[in-house]
Every structure is written in C-alpha cells, then in structure tokens.
Amino acid sequence: PSVDFIIKVRGIFIKDFIKHKESFPGYHVEALFAGTVLHSLCHTTASWALGDALWLDTDCPKFGQMAEIGRIVRVSFVDDLPGIVFSKSFR
C-alpha cells in the first residue's frame, strides 16, 4: 500500500472515530489506527512479500530463530481464514 493511501484512510478513520468517540472511552485514535488498519496492512504485505514460509532460512546462525517465528506467523496469521461469508473490504 502506498503512503498516499494510508494518509487518506487515516483521515477518514480519524473523522469517523471522532463521530463515535463516546463509544471508545480511553482509546487513543492513533493507537487504534495503528493497531487495526496498519496492522492489517502489515499482514497483507507479508503475504505479498513472502509467498512461501519455507523461503525463510532457519539454519542461519544469526537469524534462524527469528526465521522459525516468521514461518509460524506466515502460515498461521497472514492469510484470510477460509469460509468467511461477509465482505470485509474497505470502500
């Protein structure tokens, strides 16, 4: 996703958050944006960048343990769950 897209979505997110602010007492708008929208984009770009979890080199002496964690994350938490029956795209 481009920076332009993120900036546009952030503006819309903040406006909508302000409309419903009383429903989110104690929430910080920037933290909520980062924890929902940006985090979701990270998962999407991870699937684009790392097509196969086996591409990660777990034998690397310096980064092998991180590669193992990356493999688990890639196969467990990146792709959408099968069978989702509702639309979840941003308009």
Side-chain angles (χ1 to χ4, degrees):
S2 70
V3 173
D4 183 58
F5 171 78
I6 292 171
I7 290 170
K8 287 176 183 173
V9 169
R10 181 181 167 271
I12 295 166
F13 186 92
I14 290 172
K15 286 179 189 173
D16 283 348
F17 179 86
I18 290 169
K19 287 181 197 174
H20 304 283
K21 190 175 182 175
E22 59 280 345
S23 298
F24 299 95
Y27 282 69
H28 187 275
V29 66
E30 294 290 348
L32 189 60
F33 180 75
T36 56
V37 176
L38 293 181
H39 188 82
S40 176
L41 291 173
C42 285
H43 280 255
T44 299
T45 56
S47 70
W48 296 343
L50 186 60
D52 189 331
L54 296 177
W55 291 350
L56 296 171
D57 181 10
T58 58
D59 295 326
C60 175
K62 190 171 184 179
F63 300 109
Q65 290 178 331
M66 194 65 210
E68 286 191 33
I69 293 169
R71 282 183 176 182
I72 293 167
V73 169
R74 175 61 183 94
V75 300
S76 303
F77 305 111
V78 172
D79 293 324
D80 286 337
L81 296 172
I84 294 178
V85 295
F86 55 88
S87 174
K88 55 180 186 43
S89 62
F90 179 78
R91 292 186 223 168

